[in-house]
Amino acid sequence: CGGEAIRFFIENGDFFMSTYGISNIPKPEIFGVPFDTPDKYYYIAMPIMLMAIYFSFSVLRSSVGRAFMAVREDPISAAASGINVKKHKMLAFVLSAMFAGGAGAVYAHLPPGYIHPNNYTVIEMVTFLAMVVFGGLGHIWGGIIGAIIITIVYEIKEKIEDANFILACTPFSGYNVIDYIQTNRLYRNLHDST
């Protein structure tokens, strides 16, 4: 709800001058080689993504990453063991904002070099959330695998006529699979606790 409110504010307010979006964003050029098509732009986006993954694993393996995991699992126990919970939550927020800003900058320069608040609607937010949940929370590889699977499902869906109806009725729908996994985990947890 907050994301949509911010998007409407940016889209309809004159303060950001974004009613028409931002156009004419220059296409990247490295050593005189223009990256003016999506196929060429892949060779910029993929190394940036690999660097982001490497940075994520580096943070996760550090003492800060271990503190992040402790705060995620149990903030009270983490505070009792001497971890500054407020500081690490703020640092996690700053790192996630850094990744989001970097991804937005990479996306903005993607040909044709145009962004608009309508590029970031609730559908995109739900899609990103589904990628993370489907791949598994708390794991870097889970988010990557979830992104690959959801992207493949969306690409297949676009190629099939009446795909919304077909995917909604099949057990292979991403959301149905997520629901099945969560129900199965809940059943196992309840069964183990008795």
Side-chain angles (χ1 to χ4, degrees), residues 138-165:
H139 303 286
I140 295 171
W141 286 116
I144 295 167
I145 292 168
I148 291 169
I149 290 171
I150 296 291
T151 303
I152 290 171
V153 167
Y154 276 175
E155 289 297 320
I156 291 171
K157 182 185 85 125
E158 286 186 7
K159 292 187 174 32
I160 299 174
E161 268 187 34
D162 300 324
N164 288 333
F165 176 74

Side-chain angles (χ1 to χ4, degrees), residues 77-171:
S77 297
S81 66
I83 295 172
N84 187 341
V85 174
K86 187 182 284 188
K87 173 187 155 192
H88 283 88
K89 283 186 176 184
M90 183 65 72
L91 184 58
F93 180 77
V94 167
L95 284 174
S96 64
M98 180 192 74
F99 279 114
V106 170
Y107 182 76
H109 289 278
L110 177 70
Y114 174 76
I115 57 171
H116 190 273
N118 285 340
N119 293 2
Y120 307 100
T121 60
V122 172
I123 299 298
E124 282 75 23
M125 286 188 274
V126 170
T127 302
F128 295 144
L129 183 64
M131 289 174 179
V132 172
V133 171
F134 188 75
L137 297 170
H139 303 286
I140 295 171
W141 286 116
I144 295 167
I145 292 168
I148 291 169
I149 290 171
I150 296 291
T151 303
I152 290 171
V153 167
Y154 276 175
E155 289 297 320
I156 291 171
K157 182 185 85 125
E158 286 186 7
K159 292 187 174 32
I160 299 174
E161 268 187 34
D162 300 324
N164 288 333
F165 176 74
I166 293 170
L167 284 177
C169 295
T170 62

Side-chain angles (χ1 to χ4, degrees), residues 49-101:
M49 185 196 73
L50 292 175
M51 286 188 290
I53 292 170
Y54 176 76
F55 179 75
S56 298
F57 277 114
S58 297
V59 168
L60 196 61
R61 289 189 188 111
S62 70
S63 60
V64 173
R66 288 191 294 276
F68 282 160
M69 288 187 281
V71 169
R72 179 192 69 204
E73 296 301 326
D74 190 0
I76 296 171
S77 297
S81 66
I83 295 172
N84 187 341
V85 174
K86 187 182 284 188
K87 173 187 155 192
H88 283 88
K89 283 186 176 184
M90 183 65 72
L91 184 58
F93 180 77
V94 167
L95 284 174
S96 64
M98 180 192 74
F99 279 114

Side-chain angles (χ1 to χ4, degrees), residues 22-29 34-38 40-42 44-45 48 101-115 119-120:
I22 301 171
S23 58
N24 297 325
I25 299 172
K27 294 164 185 59
E29 191 172 306
F35 292 85
D36 53 355
T37 65
K40 290 180 183 177
Y41 196 72
Y42 169 83
I44 290 178
I48 291 172
V106 170
Y107 182 76
H109 289 278
L110 177 70
Y114 174 76
I115 57 171
N119 293 2
Y120 307 100

